[in-house]
Amino acid sequence: MTTTLTSHRPRPPAQPVTLRARRLPAYAAPAIAVAALLLAAGIVYGADLGGPVLVVVVGALLYLAGLFAAANAVEGRRSARNRTWSALIHSAFVLAVLPLASVVWTLFSKGTERLDGNFFGTSMNNIGARDANGGAYHAIIGTLEQVGIATLITVPLGVLCAIYVVEYGRGRFAFAIRFFVDVMTGIPSIVTGLFVLAFWVLIVSPWFNDGRPGFSGFAAALALSVLMLPTVVRSTEEMLRLVPAPLREGAYALGVPKWKTILRVVVPTALPGIVTGIMLAIARAAGETAPVLLVAGGGAAINFNPFENNQSSLALFVYQQAGEASKYSPARAWTAALTLVVLVLVLTIAAKLLARRNRLAR
């Protein structure tokens, strides 16, 4: 009887299984970016090819190439492609933010020179080229009145038009409304100014002005309302279409009439988006110069009556001061531009807060 002895050798310990792949260290991307900028600066300035803009462009290209090569060597091709596309997306975001940041910085750096009581409390009446004083009080009054009247005209008309197109419109009439609204979206502002000039100033206003045509802030408001209308209609229409159909169907199932469903359910649900579209239209109207110049005429004196005599606006004030042959005019123009931006920003924030409050209260 033979007995076979088998030796049992100890097995080596098993290596722990990990699902973590190799990754670039956190400092790799910033280090590659710095190296790419330094290399780009050396190439551009060494060969005398251009300035800092070209350095940034060449540095961005070198950064993308270096990031892809490093990620491909450490993490693999799939992760390298993902990192490269992520870097492209972030670069696009930076390119979009840089002009905005530049505009904001320029406005605040140059527009604060005349932020004083004289600028906001006086007009340009009897102000000469050598006078350092003079302000935009008359232009602020004109902007508020013209944009306010245009908003009162446009918002009800635009919202009701959008409600009809979405809730009731069928057939050729609704198609015609959509078509003409799209056409109006691309009309230049000077064309609307010429239209109001030919219709209101030259034909209608003589009936109320002893047979003489007259400029007025109301004529400017009519021109601005023509520019605002397509924006309000299209934005309101899109917001109403986003309201879920079950909300309407639930109201109909409870026996609520269609008009009350639109008033109490559909419009409040779409209100934040509608307010956003209205504020975009207001911002565009507040920045228009050509219609105000054509039908309101501008002016250096304060005019509280929008239905008589010439009236100015902030956008027109900026245009006029930018062309004045005075060393004090550029400061007035920059401060007026900053005032216009802040005014639109304040109105937008107030409207957003009001819309949010109404939505939370429902």
Side-chain angles (χ1 to χ4, degrees):
M1 181 174 183
T2 305
T3 304
T4 305
L5 298 177
T6 306
S7 62
H8 298 277
R9 297 180 180 178
R11 296 181 179 179
Q15 296 295 329
V17 179
T18 178
L19 297 179
R20 299 181 60 183
R22 297 176 60 192
R23 296 184 60 84
L24 286 175
Y27 60 84
I32 295 173
V34 172
L37 285 176
L38 293 177
L39 181 59
I43 294 174
V44 172
Y45 291 121
D48 197 15
L49 298 176
V53 176
L54 186 59
V55 170
V56 173
V57 174
V58 175
L61 296 176
L62 293 176
Y63 168 72
L64 293 176
L67 182 64
F68 179 82
N72 186 37
V74 176
E75 301 176 347
R77 181 171 294 274
R78 182 175 181 180
S79 181
R81 288 198 297 265
N82 179 60
R83 280 185 176 271
T84 304
W85 283 108
S86 298
L88 282 173
I89 294 173
H90 290 100
S91 302
F93 170 75
V94 172
L95 289 177
V97 170
L98 280 179
L100 177 61
S102 175
V103 170
V104 172
W105 171 254
T106 304
L107 278 176
F108 276 94
S109 62
K110 296 186 177 181
T112 55
E113 182 177 348
R114 283 297 315 275
L115 281 179
D116 50 39
N118 181 267
F119 181 83
F120 293 102
T122 61
S123 67
M124 292 298 296
N125 199 23
N126 298 325
I127 299 296
R130 297 184 178 181
D131 295 326
N133 293 325
Y137 180 67
H138 62 299
I140 296 173
I141 295 298
T143 296
L144 292 176
E145 290 184 351
Q146 294 163 19
V147 175
I149 294 174
T151 303
L152 292 177
I153 295 173
T154 306
V155 171
L157 183 60
V159 172
L160 290 176
C161 181
I163 290 175
Y164 171 79
V165 169
V166 175
E167 303 293 339
Y168 297 98
R170 300 292 184 273
R172 296 182 178 179
F173 186 63
F175 175 79
I177 292 177
R178 295 191 189 95
F179 174 76
F180 284 110
V181 167
D182 292 337
V183 171
M184 290 176 62
T185 304
I187 293 179
S189 60
I190 194 170
V191 175
T192 62
L194 290 173
F195 168 73
V196 175
L197 175 67
F199 172 70
W200 182 265
V201 176
L202 299 180
I203 297 178
V204 179
S205 66
W207 297 353
F208 308 98
N209 198 26
D210 297 330
R212 294 174 300 173
F215 294 147
S216 64
F218 181 74
L222 291 179
L224 297 180
S225 64
V226 175
L227 294 173
M228 293 173 61
L229 185 60
T231 303
V232 175
V233 173
R234 292 298 295 173
S235 61
T236 304
E237 180 184 352
E238 295 301 326
M239 291 302 105
L240 293 177
R241 293 187 185 279
L242 291 177
V243 176
L247 292 179
R248 297 181 177 89
E249 296 169 356
Y252 298 153
L254 294 174
V256 181
K258 186 170 185 177
W259 67 269
K260 187 174 289 188
T261 300
I262 297 172
L263 185 63
R264 297 293 182 86
V265 177
V266 178
V267 173
T269 303
L271 185 60
I274 295 174
V275 171
T276 301
I278 292 173
M279 295 314 301
L280 288 175
I282 290 176
R284 181 191 177 186
E288 290 293 343
T289 303
V292 182
L293 180 62
L294 284 174
V295 300
I302 300 172
N303 180 17
F304 290 98
N305 188 357
F307 300 99
E308 292 183 359
N309 300 325
N310 293 20
Q311 197 176 53
S312 185
S313 68
L314 280 172
L316 181 57
F317 180 82
V318 172
Y319 170 76
Q320 291 173 339
Q321 291 299 310
E324 288 286 338
S326 172
K327 66 178 181 179
Y328 303 108
S329 296
R332 299 191 195 108
W334 282 110
T335 305
L338 178 61
T339 304
L340 179 60
V341 172
V342 172
L343 180 62
V344 173
L345 180 62
V346 169
L347 292 176
T348 302
I349 293 175
K352 281 291 190 179
L353 292 177
L354 182 62
R356 178 185 296 180
R357 179 181 178 184
N358 290 340
R359 185 174 63 176
L360 293 176
R362 289 194 298 271

